[in-house]
Amino acid sequence: MAIKLEWDPEKTAANLAKHKVSFEQARDAFQEALDEPDDRAGYGEVRFNLIGAAENRLLIVTYTLRSDDANGDEIIRIISARPTERREARKYREGWSARRSAEGGEGARLDRIRCVDQFGDPQSRPQRP
């Protein structure tokens, strides 16, 4: 089972104009990230907010998980991405610090699974605990 990233091309253009972040940049934030459910509103689907680094800046990426019924692949659909605010960046730093301590020190890293974005480029994404 593979994991794929996808997004709406029109939405990425609008996101780039509004937040100066493309979804191509946002996919890189999945490499070493912290995420949590987004339960602020009734979206009609389960959404997650992820904080991760891409191109030397921290981003917050909202996404949802879907399944490709034909082959069982998991699909990560990016909904929006923007630079983090101060409190979000602090949350990311504190979360990584706590995770490193819990996992045995400075060199600890999240386990990864391979995923393929919509263009076929391999990416790494942290596994959920």
Side-chain angles (χ1 to χ4, degrees):
M1 176 174 84
I3 295 179
K4 299 177 181 177
L5 286 125
E6 71 175 22
W7 53 80
D8 180 330
E10 291 179 15
K11 178 74 172 157
T12 193
N15 199 83
L16 182 60
K18 182 176 181 180
H19 299 294
K20 309 295 186 252
V21 177
S22 72
F23 290 169
E24 289 86 359
Q25 294 167 320
R27 75 174 172 211
D28 294 340
F30 282 81
Q31 291 187 28
E32 288 192 13
L34 300 174
D35 63 352
E36 63 187 14
D38 180 352
D39 54 7
R40 295 173 299 154
Y43 297 110
E45 64 187 358
V46 177
R47 291 186 177 187
F48 299 90
N49 290 320
L50 168 144
I51 301 174
E55 298 183 10
N56 294 317
R57 62 183 177 162
L58 284 177
L59 303 177
I60 187 155
V61 180
T62 300
Y63 68 95
T64 190
L65 298 174
R66 297 182 178 176
S67 179
D68 184 339
D69 294 333
N71 58 20
D73 288 349
E74 184 177 24
I75 300 170
I76 298 171
R77 182 155 180 92
I78 298 176
I79 298 167
S80 68
R82 62 173 172 75
T84 57
E85 297 174 357
R86 261 191 223 151
R87 65 180 168 74
E88 294 161 337
R90 184 173 51 250
K91 184 177 188 178
Y92 176 81
R93 288 189 303 272
E94 290 169 357
W96 270 114
S97 178
R99 181 163 283 187
R100 284 188 182 123
S101 295
E103 292 180 0
E106 287 296 313
R109 296 283 181 222
L110 292 175
D111 292 331
R112 297 181 207 288
I113 53 177
R114 300 288 289 173
C115 63
V116 178
D117 70 16
Q118 67 184 22
F119 304 107
D121 296 331
Q123 298 290 316
S124 295
R125 182 179 186 289
Q127 285 184 324
R128 291 176 202 244

